[in-house]
């Protein structure tokens, strides 16, 4: 489980890490550092986060933090990657059920999954999902979000949606819209403002309707 947590945090051997954890003990240590960072970010925001705070909260030395992360930005990026992986896993699990027979249901479940992450995942509210993490290499083309990629793949596999340029752009757009509306819903924390949650459902469904509805 600890190794899974680390893989979720930094999929594909991200260059955010100075050293890849190869043993369960190292994985547990890295997971603890990210958990500590998440709890601090919930309290004071990521702008004020420091590597010293992470070390103190995790009960680790500052050297342990620097063993894995070159700076505080790398810690935040790693936490964002872990949050995105956990969100994507929830979406895939929810939409894959046999009783989900319509793309509109799938859209609702995507919104539900993200709302639940806001309510239960430490550090999630502070992550800026519209920002592309710095993965150490210049981007030659616009980068779609992992969530948009997963949603499109599920729509194609489950509901016979054609993955053409129009559909790909539409899914990316609604993911960005959803990010903004749900961030607004949870700007004050707590259970969130249901008005913005419901508007998120309405807006993204309405935007996708003429693209995904055939005939």
């Amino acid at each position: 489980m600890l190794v899974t947590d680390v893989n979720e945090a930094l999929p594909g051997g991200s260059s955010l890490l100075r050293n890849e954890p190869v043993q369960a003990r190292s994985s547990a240590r890295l997971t603890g550092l990210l958990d500590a960072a998440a709890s601090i970010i919930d309290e004071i925001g990521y702008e004020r986060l420091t590597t010293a705070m992470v070390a103190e909260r995790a009960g680790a030395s500052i050297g342990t933090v620097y063993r894995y992360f070159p700076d505080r930005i790398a810690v935040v990026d790693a936490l964002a990657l872990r949050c995105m992986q956990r969100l994507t896993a929830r979406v895939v699990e929810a939409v894959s059920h046999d009783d989900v027979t319509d793309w509109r249901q799938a859209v609702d479940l995507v919104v539900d999954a993200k709302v639940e992450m806001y309510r239960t995942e430490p550090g999630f509210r502070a992550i800026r999902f519209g920002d592309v993490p710095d993965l150490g290499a210049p981007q030659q083309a616009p980068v779609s979000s992992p969530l948009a990629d997963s949603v499109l793949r599920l729509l194609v596999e489950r509901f016979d949606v054609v993955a053409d340029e129009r559909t790909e752009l539409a899914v990316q757009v609604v993911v960005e819209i959803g990010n903004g509306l749900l961030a607004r819903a949870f700007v004050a924390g707590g259970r969130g403002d249901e008005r913005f949650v419901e508007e998120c459902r309405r807006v993204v469904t309405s935007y996708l309707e003429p693209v995904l509805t055939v005939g």
Side-chain angles (χ1 to χ4, degrees), residues 33-62:
L33 294 175
L34 293 178
D35 289 345
S39 66
I40 295 168
I41 288 172
D42 266 354
E43 295 170 10
I44 65 173
Y46 71 88
E47 295 90 348
R48 294 168 57 192
L49 179 76
T50 67
T51 51
M53 290 177 184
V54 174
E56 181 179 3
R57 182 67 60 90
S61 68
I62 191 66

Side-chain angles (χ1 to χ4, degrees), residues 145-186:
S145 77
L147 180 59
D149 291 341
S150 295
V151 170
L152 179 62
R153 185 164 55 251
L154 286 168
L155 291 174
V156 170
E157 293 174 354
R158 292 295 312 280
F159 309 109
D160 297 324
V161 168
V162 177
D164 55 18
E165 289 186 8
R166 184 185 182 207
T167 303
E168 290 176 5
L169 178 59
V171 172
Q172 291 182 43
V173 168
V174 297
V175 166
E176 295 299 323
I177 292 172
N179 286 343
L181 289 173
L182 292 182
R184 174 59 180 82
F186 286 89

Side-chain angles (χ1 to χ4, degrees), residues 112 115 119 182 185-186 191-201:
D112 288 343
V115 166
R119 291 172 176 171
L182 292 182
F186 286 89
R191 301 292 294 174
D193 188 330
E194 286 292 341
R195 297 174 302 167
F196 283 90
V197 173
E198 291 309 309
E199 280 302 290
C200 177
R201 298 183 197 279

Side-chain angles (χ1 to χ4, degrees), residues 40 55 63 91 96 101-102 106 110 120 146-147 169 173 177 186 206 209:
I40 295 168
V91 168
S96 296
T101 58
D102 183 84
V110 172
T120 63
L147 180 59
L169 178 59
V173 168
I177 292 172
F186 286 89
S206 296
E209 191 80 42

